[in-house]
Amino acid sequence: MTSITPAEHHSPRGARDDLHEIAEKVLWLSTSIIHHANRVRPNPSGLKVGGHQASCASMVSIMTSLWFEQLEAGDRVSVKPHASPVLHAINYLLGELDEKYLTTLRSFGGLQSYPSRAKDPDPVDYSTGSVGIGATAPIWGAMSRRYVETSFGDSDGTSRPSGFSGRQYSLVGDAELDEGAVWEAIIDPGIAELGEIVWIVDLNRQSLDRVVPNIAARRLEKMFDAAGWQVITVKFGRLLEDLFARPGGETLRSRILDMPNPEYQRLLRCTADELRTRLPGTGQDASAIAELISDLDDALLTESIRNLGGHDMAALRDAYSRIDDTRPTVVIAYTVKGFGLPTQGHPQNHSSLLTVDEYEALGRSLGVDPADPWATFAPSSPSGLVCDAAAARLRRDPVPVSEPPAVPVEIGRTPKGTATTQAALGRVLIDLTREAPDAASRVVTVSPDVSSTTNLGGWVNKVGVWSSAERRDWFEDDAETIMHWREKPTGQHMELGIAETNLVGLMGELGATWSRWGQPLFPIGVMYDPFVERALEPWSYGIYAGGQSILVGTPSGVTLAAEGGAHQSIKTPSIGLEQPGCITYEPAFAIDVEWTLLASIGRLGRPDGSSAYLRLSTRPVDQTLADVPADPAARERRRRQVVAGGYPLVRRDGATVTIAAMGALMTEALQAAARLDGIGVVADVLCITSPGELYRALQARQGHRSGDTWILDQLLPADRATPLVTVLDGHPHTLAFLATVNKVASTSLGVSTFGQVGSLDEVYKYHHIDTDSIIGAALDVIGH
């Protein structure tokens, strides 16, 4: 990559101050962190380490101004992923990061590739890394903070009815706005009330590969404005504004505003002589522009063309001062990608790295010694004093972690009659309000406009809908209205629009309140199971970032026969099996829902906690098939087995085959066992509740991880090893590993093609998971 000589680094003439000196130090440190990882640290594998020096440089002024002038201790900031070295540089200057970590970017146990609350050694407010997720996280963080305050008061024991306890900032790259989930969040009706939300868009008009030709800031402004946001645009810095104020200056302003993005970016790479030729253009005002810039010295001319608002401290300071705390705000700051580096403005500078020579030249231009890259300011110097003052202002007291209330392991009743596992969800939640009100008070349910169709209606009627202000329910006196939408600050249900990514983003932040605000919550999000895949990435990222929650996918599988293939989930059982930090359950009976849900709630809101995923069904099932033991000790044994991954439902002497089924397919498995018995084939039947827990137990038995293995001995004892048939309403590989426990012959039934609409019998037969198919598979596996 062709580079340009770094210009002398200084603020607009006559305005140099301590903040600019700090910004230069932040630029140098962030560049050095990446330089050391790639050019200095030994790399035996030869694999690319990487980093984003240009992306960091475009954010230096914005972040320096924010941290050293604007932020308060109660504020939280989500930093765009590629600017993580800037965050580390700032934390180093604030005394929050030890020097030993500056050489560890992207090394094992060192500074992470992108900001991580869980893994970085210095303060990180929000984990970012996947486009769009980190940008929207502070929105859900703001809602979670308000929920905690209106429900439990502030963490210091006081109540703040306004719900405003510091701003929630998102530092967003302009290319990140291409992510559709960002706009799903921005336009959600409830967001317009969150005045603590501030987004700062780094408008450098470059993506990974190129200069984006048609980024229209005005269009972005209109889109944010239409969503009810305050829009503040910071286009130009003081040098350019001074030029615009001169005679003929308006022609220069119009020329810059009207030129295409790529043309402007090309000017950033020009020498002064080239600028005098290119900048006037060929229009009717070319001579006026040429005359305007004719008396500028070369340094001022080249500096002026790069003097965009996102790099001008005074312009940024003015923008921050205009933030309206009664509604969300977006600050659109024009920047230069790579500002201050030899690679600034180059269309392919996204992943470029300074050469050793360029790095040393940068050091000389900044007046620092490349041989001593981590030197900081003298404590008594003006800049050192600014750093100390900022550190004192931003220092936070440790968050006291409250122990979550005890959650009962069961309610104590045995479901009878015919019921669905989906309906059991709502009943357990209502039962919890009576049996354990302290635990129930921590439950907050979230839904994307499917509360009634996922059987949460009774719960919503009982606890109400959360809102920062009380709203009248105009249908409260309508006798035909069954589900009441009572919105109030004490409500425990939160509903977003039909946007699953928003739902799991909110769940992640609700599930992080125990560590972020010192108040544990038990968030339970409900969505149609086919759409779990749509929400998978942000849900997984929320778990990675420490958000503990319960995701309920319902209805699920091809059992939702009448809806057709578009609404039939296939892969979700294995998603639950494979997701780190999560325990997955697919209960077959209502009592199994109770036990697994309560166990999952009991794991939330604690340092050693975990998330859970429950896959439920709308299929009515005869609850007597569960054959729940009447003896208290036997009942407790069954409960522990259910929570641990599965239990034997049918055990008979002389069994020659084992049928292991999960969820909605238990009815067919039991029918198959009964019919096999009629032809002289004795079958054991196992009810699998959590393939993930069983697989972890198998890994522990094989020495690949630590953990208990007792469930394997009770579920699949070696002395009862027989050929195995597994069956579930989902992809068959989910349970295929069970055959390896005792190394037996096996066949795995499940769904591996797109679904069809039809009756339940027709659809099950089509996928070969009906009773006849199970019987046929059992006979085949035992060689009959």
Side-chain angles (χ1 to χ4, degrees):
M1 176 180 296
T2 303
S3 65
I4 60 174
T5 303
E8 180 184 355
H9 291 70
H10 54 271
S11 61
R13 304 201 170 194
R16 183 182 179 95
D17 57 24
D18 302 324
L19 206 60
H20 285 87
E21 186 175 37
I22 294 172
E24 291 176 353
K25 180 66 72 174
V26 171
L27 174 66
W28 171 254
L29 288 170
S30 59
T31 303
S32 298
I33 288 170
I34 300 168
H35 179 81
H36 191 282
N38 288 272
R39 305 290 194 198
V40 180
R41 192 171 68 218
N43 183 7
S45 70
L47 294 174
K48 174 186 174 183
V49 176
H52 300 87
Q53 288 174 330
S55 294
C56 285
S58 69
M59 287 296 299
V60 164
S61 302
I62 291 170
M63 292 178 66
T64 301
S65 175
L66 198 60
W67 260 263
F68 292 92
E69 275 195 335
Q70 304 297 326
L71 292 183
E72 300 293 339
D75 299 335
R76 298 293 184 271
V77 187
S78 173
V79 177
K80 81 170 189 176
H82 292 163
S84 63
V86 181
L87 176 62
H88 298 311
I90 289 173
N91 280 336
Y92 174 59
L93 292 177
L94 294 176
E96 296 285 357
L97 181 65
D98 193 282
E99 181 181 323
K100 68 181 181 182
Y101 287 107
L102 300 181
T103 61
T104 67
L105 179 69
R106 301 190 175 204
S107 66
F108 188 80
L111 299 177
Q112 299 300 295
S113 304
Y114 309 116
S116 172
R117 285 190 74 218
K119 296 183 178 181
D120 271 317
D122 54 333
V124 174
D125 292 334
Y126 289 98
S127 296
T128 61
S130 192
V131 171
I133 296 175
T136 58
I139 291 177
W140 317 125
M143 291 184 69
S144 300
R145 175 70 185 203
R146 288 197 180 207
Y147 183 90
V148 165
E149 289 182 344
T150 55
S151 300
F152 306 105
D154 192 60
S155 57
D156 62 6
T158 61
S159 179
R160 297 177 184 174
S162 68
F164 187 90
S165 298
R167 289 175 177 163
Q168 298 276 340
Y169 289 88
S170 288
L171 307 183
V172 185
D174 52 8
E176 199 163 6
L177 296 179
D178 292 343
E179 173 55 56
V182 167
W183 294 101
E184 289 180 358
I186 290 168
I187 65 174
D188 191 275
I191 306 308
E193 302 174 351
L194 303 180
E196 61 267 45
I197 295 295
V198 179
W199 282 26
I200 303 173
V201 178
D202 172 18
L203 195 77
N204 59 45
R205 300 167 304 283
Q206 285 187 236
S207 63
L208 190 149
D209 294 323
R210 60 175 180 152
V211 176
V212 181
N214 296 313
I215 279 187
R218 185 59 186 146
R219 185 172 69 244
L220 293 176
E221 292 169 3
K222 290 179 179 179
M223 292 168 71
F224 275 102
D225 180 69
W229 290 50
Q230 178 193 21
V231 180
I232 301 172
T233 302
V234 189
K235 287 185 178 180
F236 304 117
R238 188 181 308 169
L239 290 181
L240 275 175
E241 291 290 357
D242 287 347
L243 285 178
F244 298 155
R246 297 184 183 187
E250 283 304 313
T251 60
L252 177 60
R253 182 194 295 272
S254 298
R255 164 77 173 124
I256 292 176
L257 291 175
D258 293 342
M259 69 174 60
N261 287 329
E263 182 181 4
Y264 183 80
Q265 294 290 108
R266 181 64 185 90
L267 295 180
L268 301 175
R269 308 283 301 164
C270 289
T271 64
D273 288 342
E274 290 172 326
L275 281 174
R276 296 184 197 283
T277 301
R278 289 174 176 261
L279 182 56
T282 58
Q284 61 181 5
D285 295 323
S287 59
I289 296 173
E291 182 177 354
L292 173 64
I293 65 176
S294 62
D295 62 346
L296 300 181
D297 63 53
D298 289 354
L300 180 56
L301 178 58
T302 55
E303 188 177 355
S304 294
I305 200 63
R306 300 165 190 152
N307 183 226
L308 298 183
H311 303 301
D312 189 284
M313 296 298 182
L316 290 168
R317 190 177 296 123
D318 176 69
Y320 298 144
S321 72
R322 291 187 282 135
I323 292 174
D324 175 5
D325 286 323
T326 66
R327 55 177 174 153
T329 296
V330 59
V331 178
I332 299 176
Y334 282 64
T335 61
V336 175
K337 193 162 186 174
F339 183 75
L341 300 180
T343 57
Q344 62 185 339
H346 193 287
Q348 281 88 48
N349 67 6
H350 181 83
S351 298
S352 66
L353 298 168
L354 300 190
T355 66
V356 173
D357 289 343
E358 289 172 335
Y359 174 74
E360 292 179 350
L362 176 66
R364 289 193 296 271
S365 72
L366 292 171
V368 297
D369 181 5
D372 184 20
W374 317 124
T376 57
F377 301 112
S380 60
S381 68
S383 294
L385 294 174
V386 171
C387 291
D388 287 346
R393 185 180 72 252
L394 298 175
R395 190 164 294 118
R396 301 170 184 167
D397 294 329
V399 176
V401 178
S402 300
E403 183 73 18
V407 178
V409 297
E410 72 165 327
I411 302 300
R413 62 178 60 125
T414 302
K416 296 179 174 60
T418 300
T420 72
T421 54
Q422 178 180 286
L425 168 70
R427 282 198 293 270
V428 173
L429 291 177
I430 292 175
D431 284 345
L432 191 65
T433 63
R434 293 190 290 263
E435 300 297 325
D438 288 345
S441 71
R442 299 282 169 167
V443 173
V444 52
T445 54
V446 189
S447 169
D449 197 33
V450 292
S451 303
S452 57
T453 54
T454 54
N455 283 90
L456 285 182
W459 162 261
V460 173
N461 283 345
K462 186 171 185 63
V463 302
V465 178
W466 181 84
S467 174
S468 58
E470 189 153 355
R471 295 186 176 92
R472 181 173 178 179
D473 177 13
W474 291 96
F475 290 87
E476 62 184 347
D477 58 349
D478 186 341
E480 296 183 5
T481 299
I482 298 175
M483 183 175 175
H484 292 282
W485 208 252
R486 299 186 179 94
E487 297 180 82
K488 52 188 178 180
T490 57
Q492 290 179 243
H493 178 73
M494 304 175 80
E495 185 158 297
L496 304 176
I498 303 177
E500 285 78 11
T501 54
N502 286 353
L503 176 132
V504 295
L506 176 56
M507 284 172 55
E509 287 306 316
L510 289 168
T513 57
W514 66 273
S515 61
R516 198 185 292 286
W517 314 121
Q519 290 284 2
L521 296 176
F522 302 151
I524 301 174
V526 178
M527 69 173 66
Y528 291 167
D529 195 66
F531 305 141
V532 166
E533 291 178 75
R534 181 184 300 174
L536 179 59
E537 186 195 9
W539 177 53
S540 178
Y541 209 88
I543 295 173
Y544 166 82
Q548 300 167 10
S549 61
I550 299 172
L551 177 62
V552 179
T554 183
S556 62
V558 300
T559 300
L560 193 62
E563 293 285 347
H567 279 69
Q568 296 173 353
S569 53
I570 297 172
K571 294 176 285 185
T572 49
S574 59
I575 286 173
L577 171 81
E578 297 153 6
Q579 174 61 49
C582 173
I583 296 176
T584 180
Y585 291 109
E586 186 165 346
F589 303 105
I591 190 66
D592 297 348
V593 174
E594 176 186 310
W595 289 338
T596 57
L597 180 62
L598 293 176
S600 298
I601 294 174
R603 298 187 188 101
L604 300 177
R606 56 186 70 247
D608 60 346
S610 67
S611 294
Y613 165 45
L614 274 66
R615 192 172 186 255
L616 306 183
S617 174
T618 53
R619 182 184 183 182
V621 174
D622 179 2
Q623 297 302 303
T624 62
L625 295 177
D627 194 22
V628 181
D631 179 79
R635 179 185 176 101
E636 173 59 15
R637 185 173 189 263
R638 167 72 68 85
R639 186 198 67 80
R640 292 181 67 245
Q641 290 173 334
V642 167
V643 173
Y647 56 94
L649 191 52
V650 175
R651 278 266 166 86
R652 296 183 57 194
D653 292 339
T656 58
V657 68
T658 299
I659 301 172
M662 187 164 75
L665 270 296
M666 279 310 306
T667 299
E668 280 66 31
L670 291 169
Q671 290 173 349
R675 284 174 53 187
L676 284 168
D677 185 59
I679 59 174
V681 177
V682 179
D684 283 347
V685 180
L686 309 180
C687 182
I688 306 302
T689 55
S690 177
E693 287 297 88
L694 296 180
Y695 188 69
R696 279 186 272 271
L698 180 60
Q699 286 186 305
R701 173 180 285 184
Q702 295 170 340
H704 301 314
R705 61 181 297 150
S706 60
D708 294 328
T709 64
W710 62 267
I711 186 60
L712 298 180
D713 299 325
Q714 294 187 10
L715 189 65
L716 292 162
D719 61 0
R720 294 191 68 89
T722 63
L724 178 68
V725 176
T726 65
V727 59
L728 75 155
D729 184 357
H731 199 280
H733 89 269
T734 308
L735 297 179
F737 73 91
L738 291 175
T740 67
V741 174
N742 289 316
K743 299 180 174 60
V744 297
S746 69
T747 186
S748 297
L749 304 180
V751 181
S752 55
T753 61
F754 286 116
Q756 294 287 339
V757 69
S759 69
L760 194 63
D761 290 341
E762 290 171 325
V763 171
Y764 278 5
K765 184 176 181 179
Y766 172 78
H767 291 287
H768 305 292
I769 56 175
D770 59 320
T771 301
D772 286 351
S773 295
I774 298 172
I775 292 171
L779 295 175
D780 288 342
V781 80
I782 63 176
H784 276 220

